Amino acid sequence: VLVVAALSAAADDAPTRRETVAPPDHNCTIPVVGFTAFRGPELLKRGVRSVRTRAVCRVVIVVNGHEDASVDAAVEELWAEGVADATTTQTVVVTLARNRGVSASWNEVIESTPNAEDWLICNSDVAFRNGTLDDIGPELALMLSGGDGMAIFGFPTRNGIQYGQIAFALAAKTRR
């Protein structure tokens, strides 16, 4: 039910990857939604479960080092759910041997699914309301198709838009 392969890195530091065998056979509008698993196991579970919809082809969970056993347990629970029900969204788990930082783990989402056209990369505490991704999937793809391949979302504050605490970001291959 799973595939394990080493990705490029030093042999003792190489990430491991496993994925549910059968990719979804439906016409999803969001190729990849990625999460970094570091802290907050309950929020991570809520977020991953919120994106397991027909709109999403793959959910990628990057375990950024093993510093919290409760996060490891949450990832295993989400993995088991993905194996039990691969009818909606393929589950990919990439485990980094050590904490490489948030940007490296976001890059790992992209590197682990290089054939995807677009990626929606979320903090582990992001969750979507039921039906939201079904509604916004085509809009996200349209937004990325005309730009430079990246859209980063911030949040409004009294001093303008704050980008330091990003909730999620979109990335796409540059279309020329």
Side-chain angles (χ1 to χ4, degrees):
V1 173
L2 58 93
V3 176
V4 178
L7 301 174
S8 62
D12 60 339
D13 200 30
T16 59
R17 173 194 163 112
R18 56 187 168 156
E19 62 185 55
T20 51
V21 174
D25 61 356
H26 54 80
N27 188 14
C28 45
T29 56
I30 302 172
V32 176
V33 177
F35 291 91
T36 297
F38 181 65
R39 292 194 181 105
E42 294 306 314
L43 294 173
L44 174 68
K45 290 191 292 189
R46 185 184 72 158
V48 170
R49 288 173 180 149
S50 78
V51 302
R52 284 184 169 155
T53 71
R54 297 193 67 74
V56 177
C57 296
R58 286 178 191 80
V59 60
V60 176
I61 305 165
V62 177
V63 180
N64 199 7
H66 291 288
E67 298 183 15
D68 185 339
S70 64
V71 170
D72 291 341
V75 170
E76 290 308 311
E77 183 178 330
L78 293 165
W79 170 251
E81 291 170 5
V83 169
D85 179 19
T87 60
T88 55
T89 303
Q90 182 184 33
T91 302
V92 177
V93 175
V94 178
T95 303
L96 305 178
R98 61 183 172 79
N99 181 352
R100 293 189 189 160
V102 69
S103 59
S105 59
W106 283 13
N107 286 337
E108 200 64 47
V109 171
I110 295 170
E111 291 173 12
S112 70
T113 53
N115 295 325
E117 288 294 320
D118 307 315
W119 300 267
L120 173 59
I121 303 173
C122 305
N123 283 353
S124 61
D125 59 354
V126 170
F128 296 90
R129 290 186 178 155
N130 191 20
T132 300
L133 292 177
D134 297 321
D135 295 340
I136 68 171
E139 297 297 323
L140 296 176
L142 182 63
M143 187 172 74
L144 287 170
S145 68
D148 61 5
M150 177 67 95
I152 298 177
F153 296 87
F155 57 91
T157 68
R158 282 181 275 166
N159 298 321
I161 299 294
Q162 170 68 39
Y163 294 105
Q165 299 293 324
I166 297 167
F168 58 92
L170 297 168
K173 293 180 180 175
T174 304
R175 293 165 175 89
R176 295 181 192 222

